[in-house]
Amino acid sequence: MAGLDYTKRDRALWIALLALCATSAAAYVLWALPAMPETVPTHWGADGAADGWDSKGSTIFMGVVMPFLILALLFAVPFLDPRGESFNRFKGVYQGFSAAFTVFMVAMAWLTPATALGVVPESGSFVNLLVYGSMGLLFVGLGVAMPRIEPNYTFGVRLPWTLADPDNWRRTHRFAGPVFVVMGVATLALSFFSTALPEAAMVAVLLVVLLGGVVLVALYSFLLWKDVIR
């Protein structure tokens, strides 16, 4: 079966991530769930303020199940990808992303309990710092790693032109690296100024930054395919 060739160190990483999810889930069910009031915040606006509430029982999926699902998907991707053997050539990049994203999802799982129990204020900048700041750091990390990602069907800039041509894949990912770093820095900066912006303006700026970067990378790849760029 194609996929990652795991060493003892690799297996230790995935076991540690599984242990993190299991520890978080146990603490959530045994401590946080009984401690929370019956109605808890479950949604936050672009300004970082809680704007949606539900019963605490409704949070079990996001708080307990979702991190396990994300981890299982990340683990399975190299084995499900028809080009899974290529993951061995950028294994460090993929496992680093998997670890960072799993930690991010575990942190998100605890946002509701932390807010419901008064550790995090229902209004303020902390939520935006956590969410947008983490997203920004993930984008920066991906941008730095982009040039090292080898052709595959599930991780990276997967466009018809990159998948059809290894040279297009290589050049597109080299171009995408700085673009993703800029997207990450801009998202990180927004996390510090989000409370000073109207919510609609915050959403608009974030969409321009993220969609603009993605469209720019896709356009570059397309122009390479059309031989407009040489």
Side-chain angles (χ1 to χ4, degrees), residues 49-136:
D51 60 3
W53 289 261
D54 205 340
S55 66
K56 64 181 180 180
S58 68
T59 68
I60 292 177
F61 180 78
M62 288 298 298
V64 177
V65 179
M66 183 60 76
F68 283 108
L69 292 180
I70 294 297
L71 181 61
L73 177 62
L74 291 169
F75 180 83
V77 159
F79 298 98
L80 300 176
D81 193 305
R83 294 181 177 175
E85 68 281 352
S86 69
F87 280 75
N88 289 300
R89 297 193 289 274
F90 61 96
K91 181 165 58 175
V93 169
Y94 182 72
Q95 291 186 338
F97 170 80
S98 298
F101 197 69
T102 301
V103 170
F104 172 71
M105 290 305 300
V106 170
M108 291 299 99
W110 281 89
L111 191 54
T112 286
T115 306
L117 298 174
V119 178
V120 173
E122 290 188 3
S123 60
S125 61
F126 180 83
V127 172
N128 280 352
L129 283 173
L130 175 63
V131 176
Y132 297 131
S134 298
M135 287 174 54

Side-chain angles (χ1 to χ4, degrees), residues 168-213:
N168 190 301
W169 177 284
R170 177 182 59 83
R171 293 180 64 183
T172 296
H173 281 74
R174 290 176 64 179
F175 176 82
V179 174
F180 269 66
V181 170
V182 171
M183 289 165 58
V185 171
T187 304
L188 188 60
L190 279 173
S191 69
F192 291 98
F193 298 104
S194 59
T195 55
L197 295 173
E199 185 172 359
M202 177 66 184
V203 173
V205 172
L206 191 62
L207 286 176
V208 168
V209 168
L210 300 184
L211 292 181

